Amino acid sequence: MGDKKKQKLQPNQQRYQAFQQKREIKRPIFKNCIKAFLIGGLICLIGQLISTFYIYQFNFTEKTAGNPTVATLIFITMLLTGFGIYDRIAQFAGAGSAVPVTGFGNAVISSAIEYRSEGFILGVGSNMLKLAGPVIVYGVFSAFIVAIIKTILTQWGGF
Amino acid sequence: MLKGHQSWIFENRPSILSTGTVGGPFEAKGKIPEAFDILHEDMWINQDSWEKAQQKMLEEAIQTTLKKGRIEKENVEFLIAGDLINQMTPTSFAASTSSIPFLGTFSACATSMESLALAASIINAKGANYILCAASSHNAATEKQFRYPTEYGGQKPPTSQWTVTGAGCALVAQNGNGPSITSATIGKVTDMGMTDPFNMGGAMAIAAADTIEAHFRDMQIDPSYYDLIITGDLGHVGREVSLDLLHDRNIPIDADKYVDCGIAIYREDQPVLAGGSGAACSAIVTYGHFLQEVMKGNLKRILVAATGSLHSTLSIQQKDPIPCIAHAVSIEARGEHI
């Protein structure tokens, strides 16, 4: 893809892009990975603590504690997003705060807040899933594909 | 009068009578808070949408300019202004409340200098006595339209820039004691196949270099003519790229005399990554800061090359490159021009 795109460029465009790239500030990928690992891990640790709390205080089992834990994490995310803190954490953490369920929550909540000025139906209603929608579409789609593969393998593969 | 391929000389020396600048809370904490006539504590400015807040700031900038210039708005013939929001509605609404005959201009973040060049040209040809030219932008309104919701947690790369919240306005007149507008160079749209909207400085650098080069060629002068060459909102990346490009083309600009509004407006410890951007950036820093330096006598001649990237969210989604432009206007202290 990258090479194909480059071939379409004129020689002067290629020269300029190479010239520009040399002076571009690079993303600190290694540092970002470490930060994402630490913050992502921290969010998961908090999730585990909440989960353990539900199991020991409210008679949930390890299996059923998942739902209230996710709900609690999303509630905390809602507060952090509403008070304008989550995007600051995210600028530091990157994928660390985008990948866990809190990132999904933030995508929905921030859109809902932003489009409030356009009304509840065509504003909040139709834009709320603008960022999170693709996650749902391709999440369901890939689950479907994986389920078909699994069915084929278990039915006819003899596992 | 046309000079060279793409430049105008204003032999009647239109002058900038007064200016008005408005900023938001983040700008108040920046490097040049004294450049603003009005600073707001709140991003909403008591309005119920970001777009209305932007409109309000533009209205305030216009009113301040008129007040400082001691001109009634009925005496102003035209308002030339623009912004970044779809179909420039904040500017149109502000134009409607001010009820001054209105010309809308769009060159993204180069709108400020496009408006100033056109105003000077009309004044020079005696097409008007007074013209207001303005540009505005609002960080949250721009983020919402071009990027993600304001509170969305997406990590931005170090090449991305922070849109300035504010508005800048200038009143151009036939004569007066203010600094005069002596020439302007209208830029060509450049397309270097750059597609990353988080690196606009890198994309716009060539437009700035092209226009500055064209200005020196058309005017038959060299960079030493100016005390300061000011670019609009290239940020750290674009400033370096454009300066190296100009050096490569044998235009000897002193690095100390080559400044950028996007770098000048915020302090280094503010989380703006590569620097400031937005239509208001070059308008505020030029009118509120550098023009004041000209009036104080610290600077005699400046060239302001505002840069704009002309993409839309649609063109980015459809994988089109970012077209860029730069317009340059030369401002000189009264009595300094040749």
Side-chain angles (χ1 to χ4, degrees):
Chain A
M1 180 70 193
D3 284 343
K4 217 175 167 186
K5 222 167 144 189
K6 255 193 184 149
Q7 275 169 13
K8 273 197 221 156
L9 293 173
Q10 306 289 327
N12 66 329
Q13 291 180 321
Q14 282 184 24
R15 265 200 311 276
Y16 178 71
Q17 293 202 357
F19 188 88
Q20 190 278 135
Q21 234 158 36
K22 258 188 254 163
R23 289 153 182 88
E24 201 176 295
I25 312 165
K26 302 283 176 296
R27 270 181 195 261
I29 295 175
F30 184 72
K31 215 167 104 191
N32 282 355
C33 285
I34 301 276
K35 287 197 266 185
F37 178 78
L38 289 176
I39 302 292
L42 182 69
I43 293 172
C44 294
L45 176 72
I46 295 168
Q48 185 58 51
L49 289 175
I50 296 169
S51 182
T52 310
F53 169 77
Y54 281 130
I55 292 170
Y56 285 95
Q57 297 293 319
F58 295 102
N59 287 328
F60 280 100
T61 65
E62 235 175 80
K63 240 182 177 171
T64 55
N67 286 341
T69 305
V70 168
T72 312
L73 281 174
I74 290 178
F75 183 77
I76 297 170
T77 308
M78 184 185 76
L79 292 181
L80 290 177
T81 305
F83 288 120
I85 300 166
Y86 200 88
D87 58 330
R88 290 184 199 178
I89 299 174
Q91 180 59 34
F92 177 81
S97 63
V99 174
V101 70
T102 51
F104 184 82
N106 167 255
V108 177
I109 296 154
S110 62
S111 306
I113 298 172
E114 193 77 330
Y115 290 95
R116 171 65 191 87
S117 65
E118 289 163 40
F120 279 114
I121 307 294
L122 294 176
V124 176
S126 59
N127 289 300
M128 198 162 160
L129 295 175
K130 213 174 182 178
L131 295 167
V135 181
I136 298 172
V137 170
Y138 291 104
V140 172
F141 180 66
S142 41
F144 177 70
I145 298 290
V146 169
I148 287 177
I149 294 170
K150 190 193 166 195
T151 311
I152 292 171
L153 287 179
T154 50
Q155 294 291 312
W156 296 292
F159 289 100
Chain B
M1 189 179 76
L2 182 69
K3 176 130 200 232
H5 284 283
Q6 56 196 87
S7 300
W8 288 320
I9 283 191
F10 306 120
E11 63 278 4
N12 293 332
R13 308 291 178 214
S15 94
I16 300 177
L17 217 56
S18 64
T19 59
T21 48
V22 182
F26 197 71
E27 289 63 37
K29 291 186 206 132
K31 213 188 277 174
I32 45 166
E34 71 283 353
F36 296 89
D37 295 305
I38 300 173
L39 279 166
H40 288 282
E41 270 181 26
D42 175 25
M43 288 274 280
W44 291 98
I45 315 179
N46 296 325
Q47 306 296 309
D48 51 16
S49 73
W50 306 124
E51 294 76 15
K52 285 205 184 90
Q54 184 176 329
Q55 175 196 339
K56 181 85 185 156
M57 288 190 298
L58 181 56
E59 287 168 6
E60 287 174 341
I62 291 172
Q63 283 155 10
T64 311
T65 310
L66 290 173
K67 211 167 95 186
K68 279 165 69 182
R70 292 189 193 149
I71 298 288
E72 294 298 317
K73 76 175 179 194
E74 288 71 25
N75 297 331
V76 176
E77 278 88 10
F78 304 111
L79 167 67
I80 305 179
D83 66 78
L84 292 166
I85 302 305
N86 290 336
Q87 285 77 41
M88 310 195 306
T89 44
T91 305
S92 302
F93 286 128
S96 127
T97 54
S98 69
S99 68
I100 300 168
F102 169 61
L103 286 164
T105 44
F106 180 79
S107 287
C109 310
T111 301
S112 57
M113 288 306 123
E114 183 191 352
S115 306
L116 190 64
L118 288 172
S121 177
I122 295 171
I123 296 272
N124 190 57
K126 304 208 188 312
N129 295 314
Y130 298 102
I131 298 182
L132 279 167
C133 44
S136 63
S137 56
H138 190 293
N139 180 278
T142 311
E143 285 288 316
K144 177 182 176 179
Q145 182 182 309
F146 284 93
R147 297 174 196 113
Y148 301 112
T150 332
E151 298 303 336
Y152 175 67
Q155 193 176 39
K156 287 181 180 166
T159 49
S160 70
Q161 291 173 257
W162 179 279
T163 307
V164 171
T165 301
C169 181
L171 179 64
V172 185
Q174 294 260 6
N175 35 42
N177 290 325
S180 36
I181 306 166
T182 49
S183 62
T185 301
I186 304 301
K188 291 177 192 166
V189 175
T190 60
D191 167 16
M192 283 295 133
M194 305 277 292
T195 49
D196 183 5
F198 287 107
N199 182 17
M200 292 188 300
M204 295 188 297
I206 183 124
D210 282 1
T211 302
I212 292 169
E213 187 188 19
H215 180 79
F216 291 135
R217 186 201 59 218
D218 284 353
M219 303 299 296
Q220 294 163 340
I221 49 176
D222 62 78
S224 61
Y225 182 80
Y226 292 107
D227 295 332
L228 217 51
I229 292 164
I230 301 154
T231 52
D233 54 353
L234 293 176
H236 289 288
V237 181
R239 181 186 173 272
E240 200 188 327
V241 175
S242 58
L243 188 60
D244 289 352
L245 271 175
L246 287 162
H247 286 166
D248 270 18
R249 295 174 185 179
N250 290 322
I251 297 167
I253 294 182
D254 206 341
D256 302 336
K257 288 185 178 175
Y258 192 66
V259 296
D260 183 65
C261 297
I263 300 172
I265 189 165
Y266 295 120
R267 280 184 310 169
E268 290 301 318
D269 57 343
Q270 283 180 299
V272 295
L273 301 160
S277 70
C281 183
S282 54
I284 288 170
V285 180
T286 303
Y287 300 150
H289 180 66
F290 290 118
L291 205 66
Q292 308 306 317
E293 296 293 310
V294 173
M295 283 155 84
K296 279 183 214 154
N298 297 337
L299 295 169
K300 303 253 184 281
R301 299 167 180 152
I302 57 173
L303 180 71
V304 186
T307 46
S309 66
L310 306 171
H311 66 286
S312 74
T313 47
L314 183 73
S315 73
I316 293 292
Q317 297 278 15
Q318 294 178 343
K319 309 278 185 290
D320 288 327
I322 301 175
C324 296
I325 197 157
H327 300 300
V329 175
S330 158
I331 301 169
E332 304 183 18
R334 207 131 267 270
E336 282 304 322
H337 32 76
I338 41 176

